[in-house]
Each structure stands twice: as C-alpha cells, then as structure tokens.
C-alpha cells in the first residue's frame, strides 16, 4: 500500500524536484510524484541510481521492463537510458492518462512491484516522475523517418 508525504523524504533519489502541488507516493523501492488524470499526452521520466557494483543488475532490470513494454500497445516510445556506471533513467510516453494507468499494471510497469530487488540494487528509491508531454517530434525516430502510425494495412 502506498504512503504519501507532502515533501520528499530524506534518501530520495537526486533529480528534479517534484511539483509542490502533488504528494510523493512512497512504495517499497520506489517513489512517484507528479499530477495525474489531466488531459493530454502523458509519460514518465524515471531516475534510478544504482549502488556501486550494481549497474549490471539495474541494466538487466531495464531489459526486463523493455520486454514487458513491448507487449503494451499504449506505451511508446520507450527509452532505457544509462548516464554513467550507476545512473540510469527511463523515458516513456503514452497517449493519455488511461494508457499510463494501463502501463502501471501492465507487463512493463509491474516490474516496479519487485521492491525488495530495487532496495537491494539502488542507492535511493527509484523516482517515477509523472510528466505531461507538451511537444514532440514524431516524424523521425533514431534517424529514420516514420511514415505511418498505427497498424499496417
């Protein structure tokens, strides 16, 4: 069950400050902040800081999430990011809040229920920032032009 706190507690991952008008949801191994159920495109920016020597385990964790996200039609684009030996991130986008909610309980997002494993490998709880996607370039992905969105005919 999630706990809430008005401000981030000591020991949360370094990263952007959560909005002042939202509460921090505290779970085993991760926290979540940001607004929910507002109109428009949605996403998550997730910050993960591994304990020294646990970077390979965090990378494997991101691979597991990626495998799950591949099964989620409402999630994408999705990027697993590595900044250094210990600093990782995820950026993922969804069409709307409903798709983000489906991701939370889907095969990708449900990896965050592995709280004991997260506590073992992370220096701080993973921080899941809910974000509103304001703008995007959707005609090119990783240097390749996207000519069609949706199922092929």
């Amino acid at each position: 069950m999630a706990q809430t706190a008005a401000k981030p507690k000591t020991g949360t991952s370094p990263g952007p400050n959560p909005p002042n008008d939202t509460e921090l949801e505290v779970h085993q191994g991760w926290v979540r902040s940001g607004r929910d159920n507002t109109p428009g495109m949605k996403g998550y920016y997730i910050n993960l800081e591994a304990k020294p020597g646990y970077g390979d385990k965090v990378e494997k964790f991101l691979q597991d999430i990626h495998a799950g996200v591949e099964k989620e039609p409402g999630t994408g684009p999705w990027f697993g990011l590595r900044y250094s030996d210990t600093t990782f991130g995820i950026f993922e986008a969804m069409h709307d809040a409903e798709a983000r909610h489906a991701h939370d309980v889907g095969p990708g997002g449900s990896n965050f229920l592995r709280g004991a494993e997260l506590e073992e490998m992370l220096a701080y709880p993973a921080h899941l920032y809910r974000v509103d996607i304001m703008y995007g370039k959707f005609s090119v992905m990783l240097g390749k032009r996207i000519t069609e969105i949706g199922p092929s005919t």
Side-chain angles (χ1 to χ4, degrees), residues 138 146-151:
F138 301 105
I146 298 171
T147 58
E148 181 178 338
I149 295 178

mmCIF file with all atom_site columns, all heavy atoms in Angstrom, residues 138 146-151:
data_model
loop_
_atom_site.group_PDB
_atom_site.id
_atom_site.type_symbol
_atom_site.label_atom_id
_atom_site.label_alt_id
_atom_site.label_comp_id
_atom_site.label_asym_id
_atom_site.label_entity_id
_atom_site.label_seq_id
_atom_site.pdbx_PDB_ins_code
_atom_site.Cartn_x
_atom_site.Cartn_y
_atom_site.Cartn_z
_atom_site.occupancy
_atom_site.B_iso_or_equiv
_atom_site.pdbx_formal_charge
_atom_site.auth_seq_id
_atom_site.auth_comp_id
_atom_site.auth_asym_id
_atom_site.auth_atom_id
_atom_site.pdbx_PDB_model_num
ATOM 1  N N   . PHE A 1 138 ? 7.572  13.621 -34.020 1.00 0.00 ? 138 PHE A N   1
ATOM 2  C CA  . PHE A 1 138 ? 7.124  12.249 -34.205 1.00 0.00 ? 138 PHE A CA  1
ATOM 3  C C   . PHE A 1 138 ? 7.391  11.699 -35.592 1.00 0.00 ? 138 PHE A C   1
ATOM 4  O O   . PHE A 1 138 ? 7.089  10.554 -35.869 1.00 0.00 ? 138 PHE A O   1
ATOM 5  C CB  . PHE A 1 138 ? 5.617  12.161 -33.903 1.00 0.00 ? 138 PHE A CB  1
ATOM 6  C CG  . PHE A 1 138 ? 5.281  12.594 -32.504 1.00 0.00 ? 138 PHE A CG  1
ATOM 7  C CD1 . PHE A 1 138 ? 4.689  13.823 -32.283 1.00 0.00 ? 138 PHE A CD1 1
ATOM 8  C CD2 . PHE A 1 138 ? 5.577  11.792 -31.414 1.00 0.00 ? 138 PHE A CD2 1
ATOM 9  C CE1 . PHE A 1 138 ? 4.377  14.238 -30.990 1.00 0.00 ? 138 PHE A CE1 1
ATOM 10 C CE2 . PHE A 1 138 ? 5.275  12.195 -30.122 1.00 0.00 ? 138 PHE A CE2 1
ATOM 11 C CZ  . PHE A 1 138 ? 4.672  13.417 -29.912 1.00 0.00 ? 138 PHE A CZ  1
ATOM 12 N N   . ILE A 1 146 ? 9.488  8.128  -39.888 1.00 0.00 ? 146 ILE A N   1
ATOM 13 C CA  . ILE A 1 146 ? 8.320  7.302  -39.624 1.00 0.00 ? 146 ILE A CA  1
ATOM 14 C C   . ILE A 1 146 ? 7.255  7.723  -40.620 1.00 0.00 ? 146 ILE A C   1
ATOM 15 O O   . ILE A 1 146 ? 6.842  8.881  -40.653 1.00 0.00 ? 146 ILE A O   1
ATOM 16 C CB  . ILE A 1 146 ? 7.825  7.485  -38.170 1.00 0.00 ? 146 ILE A CB  1
ATOM 17 C CG1 . ILE A 1 146 ? 8.913  7.028  -37.215 1.00 0.00 ? 146 ILE A CG1 1
ATOM 18 C CG2 . ILE A 1 146 ? 6.524  6.726  -37.938 1.00 0.00 ? 146 ILE A CG2 1
ATOM 19 C CD1 . ILE A 1 146 ? 8.614  7.359  -35.769 1.00 0.00 ? 146 ILE A CD1 1
ATOM 20 N N   . THR A 1 147 ? 6.801  6.801  -41.433 1.00 0.00 ? 147 THR A N   1
ATOM 21 C CA  . THR A 1 147 ? 5.846  7.152  -42.488 1.00 0.00 ? 147 THR A CA  1
ATOM 22 C C   . THR A 1 147 ? 4.415  6.812  -42.126 1.00 0.00 ? 147 THR A C   1
ATOM 23 O O   . THR A 1 147 ? 3.492  7.292  -42.759 1.00 0.00 ? 147 THR A O   1
ATOM 24 C CB  . THR A 1 147 ? 6.211  6.434  -43.803 1.00 0.00 ? 147 THR A CB  1
ATOM 25 O OG1 . THR A 1 147 ? 6.226  5.024  -43.563 1.00 0.00 ? 147 THR A OG1 1
ATOM 26 C CG2 . THR A 1 147 ? 7.570  6.891  -44.290 1.00 0.00 ? 147 THR A CG2 1
ATOM 27 N N   . GLU A 1 148 ? 4.240  5.980  -41.126 1.00 0.00 ? 148 GLU A N   1
ATOM 28 C CA  . GLU A 1 148 ? 2.883  5.579  -40.777 1.00 0.00 ? 148 GLU A CA  1
ATOM 29 C C   . GLU A 1 148 ? 2.806  5.330  -39.276 1.00 0.00 ? 148 GLU A C   1
ATOM 30 O O   . GLU A 1 148 ? 3.700  4.762  -38.690 1.00 0.00 ? 148 GLU A O   1
ATOM 31 C CB  . GLU A 1 148 ? 2.514  4.308  -41.523 1.00 0.00 ? 148 GLU A CB  1
ATOM 32 C CG  . GLU A 1 148 ? 1.105  3.833  -41.248 1.00 0.00 ? 148 GLU A CG  1
ATOM 33 C CD  . GLU A 1 148 ? 0.769  2.598  -42.049 1.00 0.00 ? 148 GLU A CD  1
ATOM 34 O OE1 . GLU A 1 148 ? 1.416  2.351  -43.080 1.00 0.00 ? 148 GLU A OE1 1
ATOM 35 O OE2 . GLU A 1 148 ? -0.140 1.879  -41.638 1.00 0.00 ? 148 GLU A OE2 1
ATOM 36 N N   . ILE A 1 149 ? 1.726  5.763  -38.675 1.00 0.00 ? 149 ILE A N   1
ATOM 37 C CA  . ILE A 1 149 ? 1.451  5.452  -37.284 1.00 0.00 ? 149 ILE A CA  1
ATOM 38 C C   . ILE A 1 149 ? 0.196  4.610  -37.258 1.00 0.00 ? 149 ILE A C   1
ATOM 39 O O   . ILE A 1 149 ? -0.801 4.947  -37.890 1.00 0.00 ? 149 ILE A O   1
ATOM 40 C CB  . ILE A 1 149 ? 1.251  6.731  -36.450 1.00 0.00 ? 149 ILE A CB  1
ATOM 41 C CG1 . ILE A 1 149 ? 2.559  7.523  -36.418 1.00 0.00 ? 149 ILE A CG1 1
ATOM 42 C CG2 . ILE A 1 149 ? 0.802  6.387  -35.037 1.00 0.00 ? 149 ILE A CG2 1
ATOM 43 C CD1 . ILE A 1 149 ? 2.463  8.826  -35.676 1.00 0.00 ? 149 ILE A CD1 1
ATOM 44 N N   . GLY A 1 150 ? 0.267  3.504  -36.577 1.00 0.00 ? 150 GLY A N   1
ATOM 45 C CA  . GLY A 1 150 ? -0.878 2.613  -36.484 1.00 0.00 ? 150 GLY A CA  1
ATOM 46 C C   . GLY A 1 150 ? -0.589 1.296  -37.153 1.00 0.00 ? 150 GLY A C   1
ATOM 47 O O   . GLY A 1 150 ? 0.498  1.068  -37.699 1.00 0.00 ? 150 GLY A O   1
ATOM 48 N N   . PRO A 1 151 ? -1.573 0.405  -37.142 1.00 0.00 ? 151 PRO A N   1
ATOM 49 C CA  . PRO A 1 151 ? -1.351 -0.916 -37.726 1.00 0.00 ? 151 PRO A CA  1
ATOM 50 C C   . PRO A 1 151 ? -1.158 -0.840 -39.233 1.00 0.00 ? 151 PRO A C   1
ATOM 51 O O   . PRO A 1 151 ? -1.740 0.011  -39.905 1.00 0.00 ? 151 PRO A O   1
ATOM 52 C CB  . PRO A 1 151 ? -2.619 -1.695 -37.375 1.00 0.00 ? 151 PRO A CB  1
ATOM 53 C CG  . PRO A 1 151 ? -3.611 -0.684 -36.902 1.00 0.00 ? 151 PRO A CG  1
ATOM 54 C CD  . PRO A 1 151 ? -2.876 0.565  -36.545 1.00 0.00 ? 151 PRO A CD  1
#
